[in-house]
Amino acid sequence: MNDDSLLARLAGLAVEAPAGLLDRISARWSVVPSPIGELSVAWTARGVAYVHLGDGFTGAFRSRFARPLTPATRPLPGLVPALRTGRLSGLTLDLDELGGFQRDVLSAVQAIPRGEIRPYAWIAARAGRPGAVRAVGSALARNPVPLLVPCHRVTRSDGALGEYVFGPAAKERLLLAEGVDLGRLDGLAKERVFYLASDTTGVVCFPTCHNARRITPAHRHGFRTLAAARTAGYRPCRTCRPDPLAA
C-alpha cells in the first residue's frame, strides 16, 4: 500500500468532533475590570478556574493547569459584578485541581461577609484543622480565584493584614473599598483588643461584625481573647461566630 492510499483510507475514518469538545479540553479567557485593575480570567465548562493580575497570565495558567487557552469574545456572564462584590450570584467555580484541605479553606473563606475580616486561625478551625494556621496561609497563597473567593478578608491574629496573593497594597485597597475601618482596627490591635462585647446584649463579636459596629462606647468592652470574654460572661455572636466550632 502506497502512502497516498494509506492517507486516503485514514481520511475516511474522520468524523465530526463531539459537541462541546473544545470546551472540555480548553479554557476560555478574557481581560476584565476589577477594583484593583484589569484582571485576566480563565474559565472552563465547570466555572471560573483562574484569576490573574499583571503580566505572564498565559504562561502561569498553562504551567499550573496544563491545558490550552482560547480567547473569548466577551467575559463570562456575571463575572464582572462578582469580581466587584465578591458575591458569586450563580457564577460557578472550577476548583477541580485543588486538594480537599484547600477546598475546605476556600469554603471557609467564602463564609466571610463583605466588609468583615477573620483571622487565619478562624479559617483553620472552620476547615477542620485548628492547628494548621500556616497551612491555611499556604492554601490561600495558591488560591486560584482571588476576589471570587475573597481571601483578602483573612488577616493575622495580631491585627496585621498579612500576605495576599496580589500583594499587601491590593489587599488594603480591597478592604477599604468594602468599608473596613483599617485605622480603627489598627488602634484596637495596639491595645491588644481583638474582640468587642456589648454589656447590653451580652454578646461578643469580631470588631468588623455589623453587630459590633452598633455597640455604643458606653456599653463596649474589649478583650484580647474569646476565652477572656467568656470568663467575663459574654457569649459568642451567632452572626460572626467568633467561635467557629460552636453550633
Side-chain angles (χ1 to χ4, degrees), residues 30-181:
S30 180
V31 175
V32 296
S34 83
I36 54 174
E38 288 191 333
L39 298 173
S40 299
V41 181
W43 61 90
T44 70
R46 295 185 181 89
V48 180
Y50 194 51
V51 176
H52 182 88
L53 176 67
D55 299 330
F57 163 69
T58 56
F61 177 86
R62 288 169 178 155
S63 174
R64 182 164 181 171
F65 297 93
R67 64 190 301 169
L69 279 167
T70 303
T73 57
R74 61 178 62 86
L76 189 67
L79 176 59
V80 172
L83 289 169
R84 185 177 65 251
T85 65
R87 301 185 185 98
L88 296 182
S89 300
L91 197 69
T92 58
L93 302 176
D94 182 353
L95 303 178
D96 281 2
E97 63 131 359
L98 304 182
F101 174 68
Q102 188 169 10
R103 288 193 195 191
D104 291 341
V105 166
L106 298 189
S107 177
V109 170
Q110 286 181 294
I112 307 173
R114 178 179 173 84
E116 299 188 22
I117 61 174
R118 301 287 186 271
Y120 289 96
W122 186 88
I123 298 295
R126 283 283 294 247
R129 290 175 58 183
V133 175
R134 288 190 177 183
V136 166
S138 297
L140 296 184
R142 286 187 51 79
N143 176 11
V145 285
L147 277 75
L148 299 178
V149 173
C151 53
H152 61 275
R153 297 175 189 163
V154 184
T155 61
R156 285 172 30 177
S157 295
D158 63 1
L161 289 186
E163 299 298 322
Y164 183 51
V165 64
F166 291 154
K171 186 172 191 174
E172 181 175 337
R173 184 174 173 183
L174 287 167
L175 291 173
L176 289 171
E178 293 184 359
V180 178
D181 189 340

